[in-house]
Amino acid sequence: MLRWRGLGDTPSDLGRTVVTIGMYDGVHRGHQHLISTAVARARALGRPVVLMTFDPHPSEVVRPGSHPAILTSADRKAELVAALGVDGMCVLPFTAEFSRLTPEEFTHTVLVEHLYAAQVVVGRNFTYGHKAAGTVETLAADGRRFGFGVEGVDLTVVGSAPDPSGDGEVTISSTYIRACVAAGDMASAALALGRPHRVDGVVVRGDRRGRELGYPTANVESPAHTAVPADGVYAGRLVLRDHHGTSRSSHPAAISVGSNPTFSGARRTVEAHLLDFDGDLYGEHVGVEFVERLRPMLNFSGVPELLAAMGDDVVRTRAVLGLGL
């Protein structure tokens, strides 16, 4: 899949395209349905699919300090949408100047002049332009004027998340998934995402206390605004990634999130103890997948009590992941 940043770097040989637009944070099941619709339309037209997304999150520019927790890193997002059949991903820098474009200016500058849209596929609740004045209806009107089709897709999916109404249909949202992650409810997050939630980062040197206790950990440092689950211990996996950000191998792990209160820690960390693994991971780009929360973060009375709990965490992790003892 092609990737580029900014409209000026759009490949000149794309021809007319099918474009889908959005943050696509999480690439959750609703997003997957929308992207798959765009891919199907593109294949029928014999056109490439371009997914356009933004960096930073528009809310940070429009309302500074309100940046939401990010569910998927840029590399992870690219990996996920490529697997769905997207041919190109354009990351558009979202600036104060860009936010002031009128809906018509957005349409002409982005979709007509640079992406050569033949078809635009967006969520039914899609808005764009200054103060979100543009809607699917105004986009369709501009499409008739400029010669491209517009399709608004319903993001309702069946049986994907708890539904108070009981009818089995809910509209999946990144906001809902962030709330699940913040609460440590990894089962509900995974149901909405279609896979376990993952935190990407780089393995850095910690205080090496885990190694001294017989449970060496990979201390994973993630970018600012990453959606890190609630403090606690989780069963999950650590995924090794190559220098392009592509996942290459997965290892079962017991994962600790928190500030290590037993040792009066002050900094919140994500640390993964890999099961049946012996190797140096410092500097590696990795993803930490959270499958199930085992327990909250506790302040133990001493090292023996902590070691007993860690031993139990490993046993329970093996059980959750279906591994032998």
Side-chain angles (χ1 to χ4, degrees):
M1 182 185 74
L2 298 172
R3 289 176 64 179
W4 65 94
R5 186 176 178 88
L7 294 173
D9 286 336
T10 302
S12 59
D13 58 350
L14 278 179
R16 299 202 69 188
T17 64
V18 172
V19 181
T20 185
I21 310 166
M23 277 307 300
Y24 286 113
D25 188 28
V27 193
H28 55 61
R29 290 180 62 190
H31 292 152
Q32 293 164 32
H33 172 58
L34 175 52
I35 293 169
S36 295
T37 300
V39 170
R41 301 297 177 267
R43 300 297 179 258
L45 293 171
R47 306 285 184 187
V49 184
V50 173
L51 182 145
M52 194 184 80
T53 189
F54 306 98
D55 179 55
H57 196 287
S59 66
E60 182 65 15
V61 175
V62 177
R63 297 179 299 279
S66 65
H67 201 305
I70 298 301
L71 297 169
T72 43
S73 66
D75 284 344
R76 179 61 169 156
K77 185 185 297 184
E79 181 180 28
L80 291 168
V81 303
L84 293 170
V86 170
D87 300 298
M89 187 171 95
C90 173
V91 178
L92 195 58
F94 196 93
T95 63
E97 180 183 7
F98 182 81
S99 74
R100 290 190 286 269
L101 291 180
T102 67
E104 184 176 347
E105 288 171 335
F106 175 94
T107 300
H108 189 265
T109 301
V110 175
L111 299 176
V112 178
E113 285 191 338
H114 287 93
L115 298 183
Y116 307 109
Q119 182 87 2
V120 178
V121 182
V122 291
R124 202 175 297 283
N125 62 348
F126 175 73
T127 58
Y128 64 103
H130 187 52
K131 295 186 176 180
T135 64
V136 173
E137 288 71 29
T138 63
L139 187 61
D142 282 343
R144 289 189 290 271
R145 176 182 173 190
F146 292 115
F148 61 82
V150 173
E151 183 174 357
V153 178
D154 193 343
L155 296 189
T156 299
V157 278
V158 178
S160 51
D163 174 26
S165 70
D167 63 8
E169 293 188 357
V170 292
T171 301
I172 298 293
S173 73
S174 299
T175 301
Y176 165 78
I177 298 169
R178 290 186 192 108
C180 293
V181 170
D185 184 357
M186 309 320 298
S188 294
L191 198 59
L193 287 166
R195 63 185 184 279
H197 174 62
R198 183 169 124 177
V199 168
D200 284 346
V202 178
V203 178
V204 298
R205 293 190 182 276
D207 55 24
R208 300 177 67 87
R209 189 174 288 118
R211 184 173 297 278
E212 293 170 2
L213 296 174
Y215 291 92
T217 61
N219 190 336
V220 180
E221 188 172 273
S222 56
H225 308 301
T226 297
V228 176
D231 286 5
V233 176
Y234 297 80
R237 299 177 182 86
L238 185 134
V239 179
L240 298 180
R241 302 157 49 212
D242 64 21
H243 64 282
H244 296 296
T246 303
S247 304
R248 54 187 173 89
S249 64
S250 174
H251 304 271
I255 305 154
S256 170
V257 178
S259 57
N260 296 313
T262 302
F263 297 99
S264 302
R267 192 170 65 90
R268 194 165 185 254
T269 60
V270 175
E271 299 181 56
H273 169 63
L274 279 65
L275 278 56
D276 310 318
F277 180 89
D278 183 21
D280 185 354
L281 295 174
Y282 291 126
E284 290 279 357
H285 291 259
V286 301
V288 181
E289 294 184 345
F290 296 83
V291 175
E292 183 178 310
R293 192 172 191 234
L294 302 178
R295 62 172 173 86
M297 181 60 64
L298 301 172
N299 187 354
F300 296 101
S301 60
V303 171
E305 187 181 355
L306 171 61
L307 286 173
M310 293 170 74
D312 184 59
D313 294 337
V314 169
V315 171
R316 294 179 64 194
T317 294
R318 289 187 181 280
V320 168
L321 300 180
L323 305 174
L325 296 178

